[in-house]
Amino acid sequence: MKEEAPPLIVGAGPVGLGAALYLAQAKIETRVIEVAEKPVQESRALAVNPRTLEILESNGITEKMLELGLPIRGVRFSQRGHKPREILFEGNVHHKYPFILGLSQATTERLLAKALEEAGGKIERGVELIGCRNEAGTVWLN
Ligand SMILES: Cc1cc2nc3c(=O)[nH]c(=O)nc-3n(C[C@H](O)[C@H](O)[C@H](O)COP(=O)(O)OP(=O)(O)OC[C@H]3O[C@@H](n4cnc5c(N)ncnc54)[C@H](O)[C@@H]3O)c2cc1C
């Protein structure tokens, strides 16, 4: 009889953590591996889109993000010799969250990882998927 392994999530970035969190909250166990030994500290994404805020509402992450982040309600462009131009999101972005939320990806990942742990999941750090091969009904991992 074949051994059934839990779903494998490769990478503890926002997408992997978000998927693992949804599954953990639905009582579906996963295995999350992450090649990096430590969470990232450097700046990557610095703003969260309205749709992401909507998606993460149901697992309680959005509320925490809103507490920590800074709503960016518009953008101003300026070029020497020209009048500055502004785009305001409010009134133009027809959404429950008519702004983008200034919040570093490192903070988003920290919130998701904490919620995942609270839901019973864990991240195996320092573990890399080197290769995988599909066969009928089976995936072989290295
Ligand atoms: C400079 C910069 C600025 C950005 N700004 C924004 C922004 O303001 N707003 C926005 O929405 N998006 C922004 N982005 C995009 C955003 O960072 C990505 O969309 C987001 O990181 C994608 O998340 P992810 O989980 O798919 O991948 P990643 O964040 O790349 O995470 C993948 C994870 O998988 C791990 N991994 C990879 N291969 C393996 C393996 N074989 N085995 C084990 N682990 C593995 C990696 O170490 C990594 O931790 C920006 C990106 C950059 C580079």
Side-chain angles (χ1 to χ4, degrees):
M1 201 171 90
K2 277 183 201 155
E3 191 190 335
E4 285 287 330
L8 177 70
I9 294 182
V10 180
V15 173
L17 289 172
L21 177 58
Y22 270 104
L23 291 168
Q25 289 177 336
K27 306 274 178 258
I28 299 169
E29 185 197 345
T30 58
R31 181 175 181 203
V32 183
I33 61 167
E34 167 55 57
V35 65
E37 298 279 354
K38 290 186 179 155
V40 288
Q41 301 297 330
E42 80 275 11
S43 172
R44 276 185 287 165
L46 46 80
V48 181
N49 293 309
R51 179 68 183 129
T52 305
L53 293 172
E54 196 178 359
I55 290 170
L56 294 174
E57 253 178 15
S58 64
N59 51 31
I61 299 295
T62 297
E63 198 184 337
K64 292 178 182 137
M65 286 173 135
L66 291 171
E67 278 170 19
L68 296 171
L70 183 72
I72 301 168
R73 297 186 185 277
V75 189
R76 177 174 288 182
F77 300 91
S78 59
Q79 190 184 354
R80 195 178 298 162
H82 295 266
K83 206 176 142 199
R85 298 287 167 101
E86 269 185 355
I87 300 175
L88 295 179
F89 300 140
E90 197 119 33
N92 293 310
V93 175
H94 299 285
H95 196 277
K96 179 176 177 185
Y97 304 107
F99 51 81
I100 53 173
L101 187 72
L103 189 71
S104 88
Q105 185 167 330
T107 305
T108 301
E109 289 182 11
R110 180 171 56 75
L111 293 174
L112 288 166
K114 185 164 179 283
L116 176 62
E117 275 169 28
E118 286 166 2
K122 71 175 177 109
I123 303 164
E124 292 175 47
R125 292 200 167 273
V127 180
E128 181 177 15
L129 177 72
I130 295 171
C132 64
R133 185 163 48 90
N134 279 327
E135 272 180 22
T138 309
V139 181
W140 298 97
L141 304 174
N142 296 310

